[in-house]
Structures are given as C-alpha cells and as structure tokens.
Amino acid sequence: MSDPYRQTCQALRYVPLFVMGGLALLVFSGVAGLPLWPPGSVTRFAGNQRLLLTAILALPSLGYLWALWSAQRALGALAAGQTFQPTVARAMRHIGIGVLVGALLQVFAVTNLLRVAFGGRGSYLYFDLSAIVLGVIGAALILLASLVDRARAVQTELDEIL
C-alpha cells in the first residue's frame, strides 16, 4: 500500500471514533437518566420504568456502535499496513453483522420488549423503513465479505499455479 493511502486511513480512523463517541454518549446518557425526551412526553414513566424504557430503546444502538468500532478498527489495520483483502473482508463482515443486528433489534425486539415491559398493544413488528433498509445492507455486506474471501482464495490458488 502506498504511504499517502496509509496516512489517509490513519486520519480517517478518527472519524468513526468521533461519531461513535458522540453516539455512545447520547445512548449512555439516556440510560443514566438524563432527559432525552421533550418535557411531558414520558411523564407516565417514572424512575425504574424510565430507565427500562431507555434501555430497551437503546438496544439497536449497540449493534450500530459495534459497526462503527469495526470500521475504525479496519482503518487502523490498513494504516498499519496489514493486507488489504483480509482486512476489508473482516471489516465488511463485522460492519454487516453490527448493522444487521441493530436493524433486527429495532424491527423485532424493541417493539415486543416494550409490549412485554409496559403491557402495550399493537403489532409485533415495527415497520421502520430505515431499519429494514439497514438490515438488508448489513446482510449484503456479510455476503460481499464472503465473496471477497472467495476471491482471495482463488487469487492464492492462481498465484500458486504460476
């Protein structure tokens, strides 16, 4: 890898860290009880109920934060000069898993956990278009990572033949 490319990866490594830090601060400040909602929007929830509500709503964020962590890890590995194909394949797989898990939690788990915890009614799925699209993109990244792994195996085999 060229030196300017490695320097760019090193500089860009801090962008996901900055975003992840800001988002983690928002997620965990909600869990700590800091107000995230407009006044009066959750007045019927008090104390432990508000904490439980915040924890349930924060579940998808864990997958997304892990995806960001995987992105910065991959940029750091590329900046350190690690081999491109294995690093990119691993990053695509981990980012895809994080995004897919976050989306699945948003669509399936959050709605049903809120129903169980607070006795709600309604559907068993939350048809959030952005979460569904993120889930499809996460699954596609996982499949593309396996394609990159296969291409690397074929390239290795061809290199051995030559």
Side-chain angles (χ1 to χ4, degrees), residues 99-113:
V99 169
L100 180 61
V101 166
L104 289 174
L105 286 171
Q106 180 66 39
V107 172
F108 295 106
V110 169
T111 303
N112 290 310
L113 286 173

Side-chain angles (χ1 to χ4, degrees), residues 13-161:
R13 178 182 185 189
Y14 297 106
V15 173
L17 273 176
F18 177 74
V19 172
M20 186 181 72
L23 291 176
L25 182 65
L26 287 174
V27 169
F28 293 122
S29 68
V31 171
L34 297 176
L36 287 180
W37 302 282
S41 64
V42 289
T43 53
R44 67 184 189 133
F45 300 111
N48 289 338
Q49 283 186 327
R50 185 175 288 184
L51 184 63
L52 179 61
L53 174 66
T54 303
I56 290 171
L57 292 175
L59 277 177
S61 302
L62 299 176
Y64 301 141
L65 289 173
W66 189 59
L68 283 171
W69 178 257
S70 298
Q72 78 81 26
R73 243 182 38 205
L75 288 169
L78 291 172
Q82 290 186 5
T83 310
F84 185 79
Q85 285 178 331
T87 303
V88 170
R90 183 177 58 248
M92 289 171 66
R93 185 173 298 106
H94 289 178
I95 292 168
I97 290 170
V99 169
L100 180 61
V101 166
L104 289 174
L105 286 171
Q106 180 66 39
V107 172
F108 295 106
V110 169
T111 303
N112 290 310
L113 286 173
L114 288 175
R115 288 169 50 96
V116 169
F118 301 107
R121 294 184 172 175
S123 70
Y124 292 98
L125 299 173
Y126 179 58
F127 293 102
D128 180 12
L129 181 62
S130 60
I132 293 170
V133 169
L134 282 173
V136 171
I137 289 172
L141 282 172
I142 294 168
L143 292 174
L144 288 172
S146 66
L147 184 64
V148 170
D149 281 337
R150 290 178 113 186
R152 183 179 48 150
V154 168
Q155 182 181 6
T156 303
E157 187 176 330
L158 287 174
D159 288 344
E160 288 175 0
I161 291 173

